[in-house]
Amino acid sequence: MAGEGVTLIFIHQAATDQRIWQRQCAYFSQRYRVITVDVSGRGRITWPPHEVSIERAARGVQQLMERLHTGPAFIIGVSMGAAVAVRVAFEAPALVRGLGLVSPWDYASGDMQTLMNRLFRLAEAEDMAAHADLLLRLCFPAVASAKPAAEVELLRSMILEQDARAVTYTWGACLACDRRAELGQIKTPSLIIAGLSDLLTPPYLARRVAEALAEVELEIWEETGHFPFMEDPERFNRRLELFIQRRLEASGSP
């Protein structure tokens, strides 16, 4: 946790942890209360394999919010983290002011399912080097590979540090996740940002999520892949803050 004010909660992607949001934490903690969380057995808390699920992660976030008395918060998640954020908004809409969904999907199908199965198998075999190489090839656009070089190395190191078993079960949780029935019932205002060059969760998935939501702003960024908040953090931070400020103004909050 860092900063004071309206609470922003950031949830990481399947093969990473809360450190992925360091640029956002530094930026937003100057004006907001920022909470970055570890779920699905990341960080210092080990989860039993049978408890690794999107639903369990969402319950954990909700319990954390209640314990910390955050009040209504903005919840921002990337990929798996976006699925967790959607589940929190479905289960406890009064706790959510707005959703920031980065590279979201409603359920794993087609090529996405095939790719997640490959990542699952590599993690299951504890070949985390091959797992990291495949994931990074899918997440970052080849045409801009030189642009996010520092971010690629940060992610590679982070992925290699993860417990292979926890990552395996997290990919399994993603494969089992299906948010289609919930999305149509969510009234929370949402901002969706996806990258045109994302091969793991292509932008048609973000459009599918946007079509199901009641109130949504959708942007597909041509220059980015799976992690636009790392590839272009300045643009991402400005866009997210604009969304936050508009929602606060609309609700009459300071």
Side-chain angles (χ1 to χ4, degrees), residues 42-86:
R42 295 312 127 78
R44 292 172 290 180
I45 301 176
T46 301
W47 289 18
H50 68 277
E51 293 188 9
V52 175
S53 69
I54 302 300
E55 291 73 21
R56 161 72 194 278
R59 287 197 301 272
V61 171
Q62 183 179 341
Q63 290 166 0
L64 179 68
M65 295 173 70
E66 292 168 347
R67 187 174 303 167
L68 296 177
H69 305 288
T70 64
F74 290 89
I75 304 182
I76 301 96
V78 53
S79 195
M80 176 204 72
V84 174
V86 165

Coordinates of all heavy atoms in Angstrom, one line a residue, residues 42-86:
R42 N 0.9 -16.3 -5.1 CA 2.1 -15.5 -5.3 C 2.6 -14.9 -4.0 O 1.9 -14.9 -3.0 CB 1.9 -14.4 -6.3 CG 1.6 -14.8 -7.7 CD 2.6 -15.8 -8.2 NE 1.8 -17.0 -8.7 CZ 1.2 -17.0 -9.9 NH1 1.3 -16.0 -10.7 NH2 0.6 -18.1 -10.2
G43 N 3.8 -14.3 -4.0 CA 4.3 -13.6 -2.8 C 4.6 -14.6 -1.7 O 5.0 -15.7 -1.9
R44 N 4.3 -14.2 -0.5 CA 4.7 -15.0 0.7 C 3.6 -15.9 1.2 O 3.8 -16.7 2.1 CB 5.1 -14.1 1.9 CG 6.3 -13.3 1.6 CD 6.6 -12.2 2.7 NE 5.6 -11.1 2.6 CZ 5.6 -10.1 3.4 NH1 6.5 -10.0 4.4 NH2 4.7 -9.1 3.2
I45 N 2.4 -15.9 0.5 CA 1.3 -16.8 0.9 C 1.1 -17.9 -0.1 O 0.9 -17.7 -1.2 CB 0.0 -15.9 1.1 CG1 0.2 -14.8 2.1 CG2 -1.1 -16.8 1.5 CD1 -1.0 -13.9 2.2
T46 N 1.3 -19.1 0.4 CA 1.1 -20.3 -0.4 C -0.3 -20.8 -0.4 O -0.9 -20.9 0.7 CB 2.0 -21.5 0.1 OG1 3.4 -21.0 0.0 CG2 1.8 -22.7 -0.8
W47 N -0.9 -21.0 -1.5 CA -2.3 -21.5 -1.6 C -2.2 -23.0 -1.9 O -1.5 -23.5 -2.8 CB -3.1 -20.9 -2.7 CG -3.4 -19.4 -2.5 CD1 -2.9 -18.6 -1.6 CD2 -4.4 -18.7 -3.2 NE1 -3.4 -17.3 -1.7 CE2 -4.4 -17.4 -2.7 CE3 -5.3 -19.0 -4.2 CZ2 -5.2 -16.4 -3.2 CZ3 -6.1 -18.0 -4.7 CH2 -6.1 -16.7 -4.2
P48 N -3.1 -23.8 -1.2 CA -3.2 -25.2 -1.6 C -3.7 -25.3 -3.1 O -4.5 -24.5 -3.5 CB -4.3 -25.8 -0.7 CG -4.3 -24.8 0.5 CD -3.9 -23.5 -0.1
P49 N -3.2 -26.2 -3.9 CA -3.5 -26.2 -5.3 C -5.0 -26.3 -5.6 O -5.5 -25.6 -6.5 CB -2.9 -27.6 -5.8 CG -1.7 -27.7 -4.9 CD -2.2 -27.2 -3.5
H50 N -5.8 -27.0 -4.8 CA -7.2 -27.1 -5.1 C -8.0 -25.8 -4.8 O -9.1 -25.6 -5.1 CB -7.9 -28.2 -4.2 CG -7.9 -27.9 -2.8 ND1 -6.8 -28.2 -1.9 CD2 -8.8 -27.4 -1.9 CE1 -7.1 -27.9 -0.7 NE2 -8.3 -27.4 -0.7
E51 N -7.3 -24.8 -4.1 CA -7.9 -23.5 -3.8 C -7.6 -22.4 -4.9 O -8.1 -21.3 -4.8 CB -7.5 -23.0 -2.4 CG -8.1 -23.9 -1.3 CD -7.8 -23.3 0.0 OE1 -7.4 -22.1 0.1 OE2 -8.1 -24.0 1.0
V52 N -6.7 -22.7 -5.9 CA -6.4 -21.8 -6.9 C -7.5 -21.6 -7.9 O -7.7 -22.5 -8.7 CB -5.0 -22.1 -7.6 CG1 -4.7 -21.1 -8.7 CG2 -3.9 -22.2 -6.5
S53 N -8.2 -20.5 -7.9 CA -9.2 -20.2 -8.8 C -9.5 -18.7 -8.9 O -9.1 -18.0 -8.0 CB -10.6 -20.9 -8.4 OG -11.1 -20.3 -7.2
I54 N -10.1 -18.3 -9.9 CA -10.5 -16.9 -10.1 C -11.4 -16.5 -9.0 O -11.3 -15.4 -8.4 CB -11.1 -16.6 -11.5 CG1 -10.1 -17.1 -12.6 CG2 -11.5 -15.2 -11.6 CD1 -8.8 -16.4 -12.6
E55 N -12.3 -17.4 -8.6 CA -13.3 -17.1 -7.6 C -12.7 -16.9 -6.2 O -13.0 -16.0 -5.5 CB -14.4 -18.2 -7.5 CG -15.3 -18.3 -8.8 CD -14.6 -18.8 -10.0 OE1 -13.6 -19.5 -9.9 OE2 -15.1 -18.5 -11.1
R56 N -11.7 -17.7 -5.9 CA -11.0 -17.6 -4.6 C -10.2 -16.3 -4.6 O -10.1 -15.6 -3.6 CB -10.1 -18.8 -4.4 CG -9.0 -18.6 -3.4 CD -9.5 -18.6 -2.0 NE -8.4 -18.1 -1.0 CZ -7.4 -18.8 -0.5 NH1 -7.3 -20.1 -0.9 NH2 -6.6 -18.3 0.3
A57 N -9.6 -16.0 -5.7 CA -8.8 -14.7 -5.8 C -9.7 -13.5 -5.5 O -9.4 -12.6 -4.8 CB -8.1 -14.6 -7.1
A58 N -10.9 -13.6 -6.2 CA -11.8 -12.5 -6.0 C -12.3 -12.3 -4.6 O -12.4 -11.2 -4.0 CB -13.0 -12.6 -7.0
R59 N -12.6 -13.5 -3.9 CA -13.0 -13.4 -2.5 C -11.9 -12.8 -1.7 O -12.2 -12.1 -0.7 CB -13.3 -14.8 -2.0 CG -14.7 -15.4 -2.6 CD -15.1 -16.6 -1.7 NE -14.2 -17.7 -1.8 CZ -14.1 -18.6 -2.7 NH1 -15.0 -18.6 -3.7 NH2 -13.3 -19.6 -2.6
G60 N -10.6 -13.2 -2.0 CA -9.5 -12.6 -1.2 C -9.4 -11.1 -1.4 O -9.2 -10.4 -0.4
V61 N -9.6 -10.6 -2.6 CA -9.6 -9.2 -2.8 C -10.7 -8.5 -2.0 O -10.5 -7.5 -1.4 CB -9.7 -8.9 -4.3 CG1 -9.8 -7.4 -4.5 CG2 -8.4 -9.4 -5.0
Q62 N -11.9 -9.1 -2.1 CA -13.1 -8.5 -1.4 C -12.8 -8.5 0.1 O -13.1 -7.5 0.8 CB -14.3 -9.3 -1.7 CG -15.6 -8.8 -1.1 CD -16.8 -9.6 -1.5 OE1 -16.8 -10.4 -2.5 NE2 -17.9 -9.5 -0.7
Q63 N -12.3 -9.6 0.6 CA -12.0 -9.6 2.1 C -11.0 -8.6 2.5 O -11.0 -8.0 3.5 CB -11.5 -11.1 2.5 CG -12.7 -12.1 2.4 CD -12.2 -13.5 2.4 OE1 -10.9 -13.7 2.5 NE2 -13.1 -14.5 2.4
L64 N -10.0 -8.4 1.6 CA -8.9 -7.4 1.9 C -9.5 -6.0 1.9 O -9.2 -5.2 2.8 CB -7.8 -7.5 0.8 CG -6.7 -6.5 1.0 CD1 -5.9 -6.8 2.2 CD2 -5.9 -6.5 -0.3
M65 N -10.4 -5.7 1.0 CA -11.1 -4.4 1.0 C -11.9 -4.2 2.2 O -11.9 -3.1 2.8 CB -11.9 -4.3 -0.3 CG -11.2 -4.4 -1.6 SD -12.3 -4.4 -3.0 CE -13.0 -2.8 -3.0
E66 N -12.6 -5.2 2.6 CA -13.4 -5.1 3.8 C -12.6 -4.9 5.1 O -12.9 -4.1 6.0 CB -14.4 -6.3 4.0 CG -15.4 -6.3 2.9 CD -16.1 -7.7 2.8 OE1 -15.7 -8.6 3.4 OE2 -17.2 -7.8 2.1
R67 N -11.5 -5.6 5.1 CA -10.6 -5.6 6.3 C -9.9 -4.2 6.4 O -9.7 -3.7 7.5 CB -9.5 -6.7 6.2 CG -8.7 -6.8 7.5 CD -7.8 -8.0 7.3 NE -8.6 -9.2 7.1 CZ -8.0 -10.4 6.7 NH1 -6.7 -10.5 6.5 NH2 -8.8 -11.5 6.6
L68 N -9.6 -3.6 5.2 CA -8.9 -2.4 5.2 C -9.8 -1.2 5.2 O -9.4 0.0 5.2 CB -7.9 -2.3 4.0 CG -6.8 -3.3 4.0 CD1 -6.0 -3.2 2.7 CD2 -5.9 -3.1 5.2
H69 N -11.1 -1.4 5.1 CA -12.2 -0.4 5.0 C -11.9 0.6 3.9 O -11.9 1.8 4.1 CB -12.2 0.4 6.4 CG -12.5 -0.5 7.6 ND1 -13.7 -1.1 7.8 CD2 -11.6 -0.9 8.6 CE1 -13.6 -1.9 8.9 NE2 -12.3 -1.8 9.4
T70 N -11.6 0.0 2.7 CA -11.3 0.9 1.6 C -12.5 1.7 1.1 O -12.3 2.7 0.5 CB -10.8 0.0 0.4 OG1 -11.9 -0.8 0.0 CG2 -9.6 -0.8 0.8
G71 N -13.7 1.2 1.4 CA -14.8 1.8 0.7 C -14.8 1.5 -0.8 O -14.0 0.7 -1.2
P72 N -15.7 2.1 -1.5 CA -15.7 1.8 -3.0 C -14.4 2.2 -3.6 O -13.9 3.2 -3.4 CB -16.9 2.7 -3.5 CG -17.8 2.9 -2.3 CD -16.8 3.0 -1.1
A73 N -13.9 1.2 -4.4 CA -12.5 1.4 -5.0 C -12.6 1.2 -6.5 O -13.5 0.6 -7.0 CB -11.6 0.5 -4.4
F74 N -11.6 1.7 -7.2 CA -11.3 1.3 -8.6 C -10.4 0.1 -8.6 O -9.4 0.0 -7.9 CB -10.6 2.5 -9.3 CG -11.5 3.7 -9.5 CD1 -11.6 4.7 -8.6 CD2 -12.3 3.8 -10.6 CE1 -12.4 5.8 -8.7 CE2 -13.1 4.9 -10.8 CZ -13.2 5.9 -9.9
I75 N -10.9 -0.9 -9.3 CA -10.1 -2.2 -9.4 C -9.6 -2.3 -10.8 O -10.3 -2.3 -11.8 CB -10.9 -3.4 -9.0 CG1 -11.5 -3.2 -7.6 CG2 -10.1 -4.6 -9.1 CD1 -12.3 -4.4 -7.1
I76 N -8.2 -2.5 -10.9 CA -7.6 -2.6 -12.2 C -6.9 -3.9 -12.3 O -6.1 -4.3 -11.4 CB -6.6 -1.4 -12.4 CG1 -7.3 0.0 -12.3 CG2 -5.8 -1.5 -13.8 CD1 -7.2 0.6 -10.9
G77 N -7.1 -4.6 -13.4 CA -6.5 -5.9 -13.5 C -6.1 -6.2 -15.0 O -6.7 -5.7 -15.9
V78 N -5.0 -7.0 -15.1 CA -4.6 -7.4 -16.5 C -4.8 -8.8 -16.7 O -4.4 -9.7 -15.9 CB -3.1 -7.0 -16.7 CG1 -2.2 -7.5 -15.6 CG2 -2.6 -7.4 -18.1
S79 N -5.5 -9.2 -17.8 CA -5.7 -10.6 -18.2 C -6.4 -11.4 -17.1 O -7.5 -11.1 -16.8 CB -4.4 -11.2 -18.6 OG -4.6 -12.4 -19.3
M80 N -5.7 -12.3 -16.4 CA -6.3 -13.0 -15.3 C -6.8 -12.0 -14.2 O -7.8 -12.2 -13.6 CB -5.3 -14.0 -14.6 CG -5.8 -14.6 -13.4 SD -4.6 -15.2 -12.2 CE -4.0 -13.7 -11.5
G81 N -6.0 -11.0 -14.0 CA -6.4 -9.9 -13.0 C -7.6 -9.2 -13.4 O -8.4 -8.8 -12.5
A82 N -7.9 -9.1 -14.7 CA -9.1 -8.5 -15.2 C -10.3 -9.4 -14.9 O -11.4 -8.9 -14.5 CB -9.0 -8.2 -16.7
A83 N -10.1 -10.7 -15.0 CA -11.1 -11.7 -14.7 C -11.5 -11.6 -13.2 O -12.6 -11.7 -12.8 CB -10.7 -13.1 -15.1
V84 N -10.4 -11.5 -12.4 CA -10.7 -11.4 -10.9 C -11.5 -10.1 -10.6 O -12.4 -10.1 -9.8 CB -9.3 -11.4 -10.2 CG1 -9.6 -11.1 -8.7 CG2 -8.6 -12.7 -10.4
A85 N -11.1 -9.0 -11.3 CA -11.8 -7.7 -11.1 C -13.2 -7.8 -11.4 O -14.1 -7.3 -10.7 CB -11.1 -6.6 -11.9
V86 N -13.5 -8.5 -12.6 CA -14.9 -8.6 -13.0 C -15.7 -9.4 -12.0 O -16.8 -9.1 -11.6 CB -14.9 -9.3 -14.4 CG1 -16.3 -9.9 -14.7 CG2 -14.5 -8.4 -15.5

